[in-house]
Amino acid sequence: MKNKDIILLGIESSCDDTSVAVIKNETILSNVTASQDVHKAWGGVVPELASRAHQQNIVPVVHEAIKKAGITKEELTAIAFTRGPGLLGSLIVGTSFAKALALALNIPLIEVHHMEAHVLAHFIDGQSDKKPSFPFLCLTVSGGHTQIVLVRDFLDMEIVGSTKDDAAGEAFDKTAKLLGLPYPGGPLIDKYAKLGNPNAFQFTKPKVSDFDYSFSGLKTNILQFLQKNQKVNSAFIQDNLNDICASVQKTIIDILFEKLIAAVRHFDIQDIAIAGGVSANSGLRTKLQEEGKKRGWHTHIPKFEYCTDNGAMIAITGYYQYRAGNFVDQRIAATARWAVGSKE
Ligand code: KG4
Ligand code: ZN
């Protein structure tokens, strides 16, 4: 007899995207995202505005996801939601909604770790020829995290390196702010970098032990570099925007890869993946392909739409949790801090 299909709703609300997906087994039926433009004027995500926008968006986004999937809510097997880590007020919106819907439909509730979900985005349908084999190493780079993750199995991950201060996405966004670009600056730096010379300017690289990272020094270095050059030419940024973006992007990618290569050697693993919002960066994607070719790695790059925050990655992680029988009850609460691989 054929096993019954598992149809899950995945709800993501950890930062500034309200995103909901419907998955049938490992196939995404819909993935709907409402991004929040309200933060642009403030140069970064304003937590209180984010919570409010999630509250406005959640019901329409869920409706749209269910409609696009061509199902009714009564067909859902379970509800998966991001419990953390992230902005507490934002997480509470998705968590409360997921709890209420699971209660109303009398179906199981599944908690999902946001960073584990970024990694598992690699297992979403349509990427079957590219699915990593276990164990693999995943460089997970987002606005809040920078981690080298040793992935032993779907739900068995260990962080072997992480940032001591700023995340790689923050390095992109803070640099963009110094250059007068709007939030989020990462995609804009990527855009201008394509037109510039990556060797035009040199920036200092941090000295951090093992497979860990640090990006706060780079920000200071860039600030001092800009101030020095603006004293001589007040239009320095406008005159050199493409070269500055290309040089900063190259520096961030070089920093990321120095430790990734060291970790690959240490763990002697050949399946290497990237994930998280910064894995949408064209320079980082090209670099992984180039290094992989040179070093004989099997490289894995997520589909563009599954790099930045999305409900689909929550739904696929929920699917593996469902198969493992991992459910939570109505006393569950969102958490701003939550280490990969731990219970809390
Ligand atoms: O994973 P994500 O959507 O949210 C978090 O979990 O933080 O990542 C957002 C981060 C932002 O810092 C954004 O600037 C960065 O990903 N990002 C990029 C690109 N697209 C998004 N950074 C560099 N190049 C890009 N193309
Ligand atoms: Zn994320």
Side-chain angles (χ1 to χ4, degrees):
M1 200 182 86
K2 192 176 167 288
N3 282 342
K4 196 174 166 286
D5 284 329
I6 298 165
I7 304 178
L8 292 182
L9 194 70
I11 299 175
E12 158 61 31
S13 75
S14 66
C15 191
D16 58 344
D17 293 308
T18 317
S19 188
V20 178
V22 176
I23 198 168
K24 184 175 180 178
N25 304 317
E26 284 157 296
T27 304
I28 295 294
L29 301 182
S30 64
N31 182 45
V32 178
T33 304
S35 299
Q36 305 178 356
D37 285 342
V38 63
H39 308 290
K40 276 208 173 98
W42 301 92
V45 177
V46 183
E48 302 237 327
L49 295 179
S51 317
R52 197 166 171 270
H54 281 302
Q55 202 152 44
Q56 290 168 329
N57 293 338
I58 188 98
V59 170
V61 173
V62 168
H63 268 304
E64 180 78 9
I66 288 177
K67 197 170 118 198
K68 273 201 173 151
I71 62 155
T72 62
K73 61 183 184 313
E74 287 72 25
E75 288 178 77
L76 290 170
T77 317
I79 313 282
F81 67 98
T82 307
R83 181 162 78 86
L87 301 171
L88 190 64
S90 291
L91 290 162
I92 284 175
V93 177
T95 302
S96 301
F97 185 88
K99 288 172 70 171
L101 189 59
L103 187 68
L105 295 172
N106 194 24
I107 54 177
L109 189 58
I110 299 166
E111 63 172 18
V112 169
H113 189 294
H114 182 84
M115 298 312 292
E116 290 181 2
H118 270 304
V119 175
L120 294 180
H122 282 279
F123 295 91
I124 293 170
D125 63 288
Q127 310 198 38
S128 50
D129 55 327
K130 292 199 182 135
K131 279 181 190 168
S133 334
F134 299 115
F136 67 93
L137 282 176
C138 187
L139 174 69
T140 316
V141 271
S142 72
H145 296 82
T146 298
Q147 305 173 332
I148 298 178
V149 189
L150 170 58
V151 190
R152 296 195 187 86
D153 207 337
F154 295 115
L155 305 174
D156 183 1
M157 302 185 194
E158 183 190 340
I159 297 187
V160 297
S162 62
T163 184
K164 299 276 181 207
D165 40 59
D166 289 354
E170 266 177 295
F172 274 104
D173 296 338
K174 286 180 177 175
T175 303
K177 204 170 175 179
L178 293 176
L179 297 175
L181 302 172
Y183 178 86
L188 290 171
I189 293 197
D190 190 354
K191 182 177 147 192
Y192 296 124
K194 285 182 188 144
L195 308 169
N197 171 9
N199 298 310
F201 306 111
Q202 309 298 319
F203 298 103
T204 49
K205 295 192 183 130
K207 289 195 174 34
V208 196
S209 58
D210 304 321
F211 311 125
D212 288 336
Y213 291 108
S214 167
F215 285 101
S216 62
L218 178 63
K219 190 193 73 183
T220 313
N221 186 214
I222 294 168
L223 175 65
Q224 287 166 348
F225 161 83
L226 292 175
Q227 284 171 339
K228 199 177 97 196
N229 282 287
Q230 278 170 317
K231 270 190 197 146
V232 184
N233 170 13
S234 60
F236 179 75
I237 293 177
Q238 293 91 306
D239 292 350
N240 297 278
L241 185 63
N242 297 341
D243 285 350
I244 300 170
C245 288
S247 303
V248 169
Q249 180 168 298
K250 180 181 186 296
T251 307
I252 295 174
I253 294 172
D254 284 351
I255 293 170
L256 290 171
F257 266 76
E258 198 177 299
K259 295 303 181 89
L260 180 64
I261 291 166
V264 171
R265 276 207 199 102
H266 177 86
F267 291 99
D268 193 21
I269 285 174
Q270 300 306 313
D271 269 65
I272 315 299
I274 53 174
V278 180
S279 68
N281 182 269
S282 56
L284 187 68
R285 292 164 88 89
T286 306
K287 176 82 170 171
L288 182 65
Q289 279 164 341
E290 285 171 2
E291 290 293 332
K293 216 172 190 182
K294 199 161 86 191
R295 297 169 192 275
W297 298 347
H298 307 290
T299 55
H300 307 279
I301 297 171
K303 265 191 188 166
F304 194 74
E305 65 261 42
Y306 300 141
C307 291
T308 47
D309 292 348
N310 62 88
M313 69 185 197
I314 306 306
I316 188 84
T317 308
Y319 169 77
Y320 294 118
Q321 297 280 16
Y322 184 93
R323 285 204 331 199
N326 294 338
F327 304 112
V328 292
D329 67 30
Q330 283 287 333
R331 285 167 300 178
I332 200 74
T335 181
R337 292 174 176 275
W338 184 7
V340 166
S342 94
K343 283 266 166 234
E344 262 316 300

